[in-house]
Amino acid sequence: HYLRADFEGAQRACASCSKADPSFTPAALLHAQILMRLDKFKQAGQVIDGILSHNFAVREAPLFQLIKAKLHHVNGEFAEAEQILTRAIKQLPPPHATASAGGDAESELSPSDRCSLHTQLVEAFLGQQKLSEASSAMSTAVVQFDGTAQEGMLTIINAKVQVAKGEIETALTLLRAMPADNAHYHAARRVLADLYLEHRNDKRAYAACHEEVAAANPTVAS
């Protein structure tokens, strides 16, 4: 349900799991992730607080730390987010390690979530105007996820770093290079459109970006 963006169905499944076993943390963590995707941050915070009441050890799980850091970021608490993310990344097993050594569901991260730990750290640095640290964290992420499906996500965050450094043209070049078949193409085009409008005052280019999104994926939402 979650992977095909059926968030309502996913929430029902999570609720059933939690009703059967309130201490089953993977269901609660997934529920919190869904609420975050729906911008229901207060409810997500309540869910992860509830997780702690049943299993205090879950605070060491990377996925819990990622969700907690995102909540801090939403609240503008960038230093707290940085602290959590730095610690979580240091504790991560190697990217290609398996969970055979006694791993459990809440300790495992998808490649996308693993990348999100790094991108959230970059954004936490940007929120504090720590441009040197943001650039360094960005370089680390680019090396680690080179050639993976997460490259598109990294391009968008890298563009944000370039904007913060005043390198608007570099940011535009990065985003323009995103191919239409990339999973992050639509998100990149939206960021590109905003850059054209806010930093170039180019309304024609702004409109063109949205026309390209509609052309690449002719849906009602596009």
Side-chain angles (χ1 to χ4, degrees), residues 2 29-30 32-34 36-37 41 44-45 48 51 58-75 77-78 80-92 106-124 145 150 153 157:
Y2 176 65
L29 288 171
L30 180 56
Q33 280 187 295
I34 294 165
M36 294 288 288
R37 286 285 296 272
F41 304 116
I48 64 169
I51 300 171
V58 74
R59 64 179 183 159
E60 300 300 324
L63 185 52
F64 178 91
Q65 293 170 330
L66 175 59
I67 295 168
K68 190 71 175 176
K70 286 183 176 180
L71 287 172
H72 279 305
H73 190 95
V74 167
N75 292 325
E77 299 162 352
F78 305 119
E80 290 84 348
E82 176 197 336
Q83 185 178 10
I84 291 173
L85 293 162
T86 300
R87 182 163 164 261
I89 290 170
K90 285 181 179 177
Q91 294 176 337
L92 279 178
E106 66 263 23
S107 296
E108 298 173 23
L109 281 180
S110 68
S112 177
D113 287 335
R114 180 182 281 268
C115 185
S116 289
L117 281 174
H118 291 270
T119 57
Q120 279 294 140
L121 180 59
V122 173
E123 297 219 57
F145 296 96
Q150 280 65 55
M153 183 195 307
I157 301 299

Side-chain angles (χ1 to χ4, degrees), residues 104-188:
D104 49 46
E106 66 263 23
S107 296
E108 298 173 23
L109 281 180
S110 68
S112 177
D113 287 335
R114 180 182 281 268
C115 185
S116 289
L117 281 174
H118 291 270
T119 57
Q120 279 294 140
L121 180 59
V122 173
E123 297 219 57
F125 284 134
L126 290 178
Q128 301 173 80
Q129 299 299 310
K130 294 182 175 180
L131 300 187
S132 176
E133 291 88 340
S135 295
S136 178
M138 189 72 244
S139 297
T140 299
V142 168
V143 170
Q144 184 160 338
F145 296 96
D146 181 45
T148 71
Q150 280 65 55
E151 278 189 323
M153 183 195 307
L154 292 176
T155 296
I156 295 171
I157 301 299
N158 197 6
K160 290 183 179 181
V161 174
Q162 300 306 319
V163 170
K165 292 162 63 177
E167 301 290 342
I168 307 302
E169 195 56 46
T170 302
L172 292 171
T173 300
L174 285 169
L175 295 167
R176 280 195 293 255
M178 180 86 71
D181 59 356
N182 189 286
H184 298 89
Y185 173 78
H186 294 171

